[in-house]
Structure formats: C-alpha cells, structure tokens
Amino acid sequence: MTVRVAASALIRDEAGRVLVVLRGRGPNTGRWSLPGGKSEPGETPAQTVVREVREETGLVITAGTQRAVVPVQAPTATYEIHVFEATVLGGAVRAGDDAADAAWVSESQLAALPHTDGLLELLARSAPDVVPAEPGSPGTGSVAP
C-alpha cells in the first residue's frame, strides 16, 4: 500500500484554545480536526503545514516542534500525518479551501464537537496542558479556561 505524507498544526491562542477546522469534504466531512492536509511533490512536512494552514484558515504560521507522526489508514493509502506545534504570525481566521468552518475552541467545546477519530487522544499526548485525556487513558493534565 502507498504511504503518503501529510501534516497538521496544533495551534493554541493565548487563552489555551485550540484552532480546529470543520472538514467540508473527504472521508471526514462534517467532523472537526486540526488544520492540515497532504504534501505536494517536493514539500517537506513543515512546508506542507504552513501552506495548508494558510489555505484552510487564512493564518500565516511558522511550524515549530514536530509533536507526533500519526499513521492513518485510508482505502487507497496510508497517511503519515506529521503534527507540528505552530505559532501564528498574522492573518485572520476564516474558513477556506476544503474547510467549511474554522474556530478556536476550549477543551470543553472540543470534547463536545463531532471530531476526527483519535483527535482528543492526540492532543492529550501532544499537549497535555490543552485537553484532558479521555476516560480510561493515562494522563489528565488540563488548563482551566
């Protein structure tokens, strides 16, 4: 099976909220996820995340520390999703490209939204100060809203 590279951004605002996008198409239509997408030929994962965040949210970012590489099985390929912490340099949040909406959400809002499989677990592993672990998983760090 083909392995394809993709990248997503974990972006937090000063209040500790996470930037998420509502998928407007694809296998996760109608579910919230971190902004990101597939790499284009010749792109590094860091370049991919910068481009995808600009396309999906209107924000200009810099890619920081890679927090995880998450394998996701799709019908025609396995995606290696490189998850980067990112810092906003400019722009204003607006949905674009294949994102139907984009929003900053608190931990309680995120837990209540329909979201992509594994999103809360990824956030708990990657940034335990943002979202508490789901019941039954190790680690419960969180920041008060």
Side-chain angles (χ1 to χ4, degrees):
M1 178 142 315
T2 303
V3 175
R4 297 193 177 162
V5 176
S8 291
L10 174 55
I11 307 169
R12 293 176 272 177
D13 69 5
E14 54 283 340
R17 298 177 302 171
V18 177
L19 181 64
V20 292
V21 295
L22 181 63
R23 295 285 166 211
R25 55 184 152 150
N28 288 304
T29 301
R31 300 175 92 190
W32 293 87
S33 186
L34 298 177
K38 295 180 270 190
S39 291
E40 293 182 354
E43 273 185 330
T44 66
Q47 291 168 328
T48 299
V49 79
V50 169
R51 176 184 52 77
E52 285 285 343
V53 168
R54 186 179 60 252
E55 290 174 1
E56 292 187 351
T57 71
L59 295 178
V60 176
I61 63 159
T62 184
T65 303
Q66 182 174 296
R67 299 303 304 236
V69 178
V70 179
V72 174
Q73 187 62 51
T76 60
T78 298
Y79 288 91
E80 276 185 1
I81 303 175
H82 296 253
V83 181
F84 291 88
E85 287 184 345
T87 302
V88 176
L89 301 175
V93 176
R94 54 127 187 93
D97 195 32
D98 61 350
D101 199 359
W104 296 102
V105 296
S106 69
E107 60 184 88
S108 59
Q109 290 169 321
L110 182 59
L113 293 171
H115 52 272
T116 53
D117 293 341
L119 179 58
L120 295 180
E121 296 88 347
L122 171 66
L123 291 175
R125 283 193 320 269
S126 300
D129 58 334
V130 176
V131 177
E134 291 187 318
S137 3
T140 58
S142 66
V143 172

